[in-house]
Amino acid sequence: MASNSPSPEGIDVPETPTAGAWGEWNPTEDSARSVRGKHRVLKQRGGLARSSTVLGVGVIAAVGAGGIATAQDRPQVAISMPSLPDLPDLLGGGGHASGTAGTDTAAPAGAAAAQSAGIPGQADGRGHGQADAGEALRHRILQQAESQQEAVETQARADAERTAREAAAQEARAQKEAADKEAETARVAAEKAAAEKAEADKAAEAAATTAAKAAEGAEGGGSGPGAGAGAGTKASGGYSLPTSSYTLTSHYGDSGSMWSSGHHTGLDFAAPTGTPVKAVGGGKVISAGWSGAYGYRIVLQLDDGTEVWYCHLSSMSVTSGTVGAGETIGRVGATGNVTGAHLHLEVRKGGSTVDPLAWLESKGLSV
């Protein structure tokens, strides 16, 4: 067996254990004590630094050389390598292949290559671990890409909805502005038309007033249709004609479908709208206002209790109080159930109608 002889490097190598003590040798502090004495450190040879690591390798080689001869006579002892952690475990992946010796029942060619390198069972496990780690990494990358794509699509939908809302609001504002403009134009046009109508009514009323004054100043009279009467003329007893510049169109008792009672209950004085209407005698106004088919109506009660109705008026000058004979109380119009502008005059005694023409003539008036 090998004896203590100088090594090729000039280092004293301790005697190797005998064959009988191979399995029982247990290094202790004394037996593992470092060799005393000076150690010669060789300089670089061929560019290799000879350090303590190199010396240690030489010692191990020497000891191994001495033990090989002894170990030839002993049965082989199985040497197991500690299991190394797989790549997925180091990377935080989910790989479960251990890759240790004895776990792969059917070792592929890669396992044999790993065993020849001194790491039995590791090559195959490491291959599976690397594949699992790559798959996990690819899966995470795909998830991140999908998440980013969903975020982009969500943002695009939100932008589109916001744009649509803004467009709808802008269109609604434009429509409202157009409607307001049209309403303003219509309002201005209506105000203009009302002003023009009021101006026309005022002009017509002025013309009628002028005509009435001219008729009041005229002399003469007459009776029958088409005859004008002096409106300002008073008969004995203080009575006056109800209007001037008139034409009698319908008399009391005339029959026809135009009257609800089947016959005419008054006397019609056709005259232009706006012609003044006079009180036939002194008395007080007991009613004034709208009266259905009669239109605007004034009821004058005379001192003897007789009622005189003035119907279809365009306006009312006196609506209450006492008036004298010949005083203007309203104007001729065409309100209510009419076919043209005229004054419908009714005379009632005790609630019953009488012939207005005969009653006026009884007061000394020439109609």
Side-chain angles (χ1 to χ4, degrees):
M1 304 292 83
S3 60
N4 292 341
S5 61
S7 66
E9 302 296 336
I11 301 174
D12 295 334
V13 178
E15 185 179 358
T16 57
T18 60
W22 178 261
E24 299 177 359
W25 177 67
N26 186 15
T28 63
E29 182 179 358
D30 295 334
S31 61
R33 184 179 304 166
S34 58
V35 180
R36 297 180 180 179
K38 295 181 179 180
H39 302 280
R40 182 167 55 89
V41 178
L42 299 179
K43 294 182 180 180
Q44 294 184 356
R45 178 183 297 175
L48 178 63
R50 299 183 182 277
S51 61
S52 59
T53 302
V54 176
L55 297 178
V57 170
V59 172
I60 293 174
V63 173
I68 288 175
T70 305
Q72 289 178 353
D73 298 335
R74 299 183 60 85
Q76 295 181 356
V77 178
I79 301 175
S80 63
M81 297 294 293
S83 60
L84 300 178
D86 292 335
L87 181 61
D89 295 336
L90 295 176
L91 297 178
H96 296 286
S98 62
T100 56
T103 58
D104 293 337
T105 57
Q115 289 178 358
S116 63
I119 309 177
Q122 292 297 316
D124 183 60
R126 185 178 296 107
H128 286 290
Q130 290 176 353
D132 293 343
E135 181 65 21
L137 180 59
R138 186 182 70 85
H139 182 66
R140 276 197 293 270
I141 293 173
L142 291 177
Q143 284 184 338
Q144 291 178 357
E146 292 177 357
S147 176
Q148 293 176 357
Q149 182 66 23
E150 291 179 357
V152 170
E153 293 177 355
T154 302
Q155 184 64 31
R157 286 194 297 269
D159 294 341
E161 292 177 356
R162 183 176 65 257
T163 303
R165 287 195 300 269
E166 292 176 354
Q170 185 175 1
E171 183 177 359
R173 286 194 298 270
Q175 292 178 354
K176 183 178 182 300
E177 291 177 357
D180 292 343
K181 186 176 181 180
E182 292 179 358
E184 181 65 18
T185 303
R187 184 186 65 81
V188 172
E191 290 180 354
K192 184 178 180 181
E196 291 177 353
K197 183 178 182 300
E199 191 71 20
D201 292 343
K202 185 177 180 181
E205 185 175 352
T209 302
T210 302
K213 287 181 179 180
E216 289 176 0
E219 296 181 354
S223 61
T233 303
K234 295 182 181 179
S236 58
Y239 289 91
S240 174
L241 290 174
T243 189
S244 59
S245 301
Y246 60 85
T247 300
L248 295 178
T249 56
S250 296
H251 293 74
Y252 180 80
D254 289 347
S255 60
S257 60
M258 294 185 298
W259 302 291
S260 60
S261 61
H263 64 276
H264 196 222
T265 57
L267 183 64
D268 288 349
F269 296 81
T273 298
T275 302
V277 174
K278 310 289 186 178
V280 296
K284 63 179 180 179
V285 176
I286 62 174
S287 177
W290 183 261
S291 184
Y294 287 108
Y296 286 110
R297 182 191 67 174
I298 294 176
V299 178
L300 174 63
Q301 187 179 56
L302 303 180
D303 295 337
D304 63 357
T306 302
E307 292 183 1
V308 182
W309 291 13
Y310 302 84
C311 306
H312 308 308
L313 303 176
S314 62
S315 63
M316 298 177 292
S317 303
V318 179
T319 57
S320 64
T322 303
V323 295
E327 183 177 345
T328 300
I329 60 175
R331 295 189 180 276
V332 175
T335 58
N337 186 13
V338 296
T339 57
H342 69 278
L343 169 65
H344 174 84
L345 185 72
E346 285 191 12
V347 178
R348 293 174 177 257
K349 285 187 175 183
S352 299
T353 60
V354 298
D355 185 358
L357 180 59
W359 183 83
L360 289 172
E361 290 177 348
S362 68
K363 301 303 179 183
L365 298 174
S366 179
V367 182

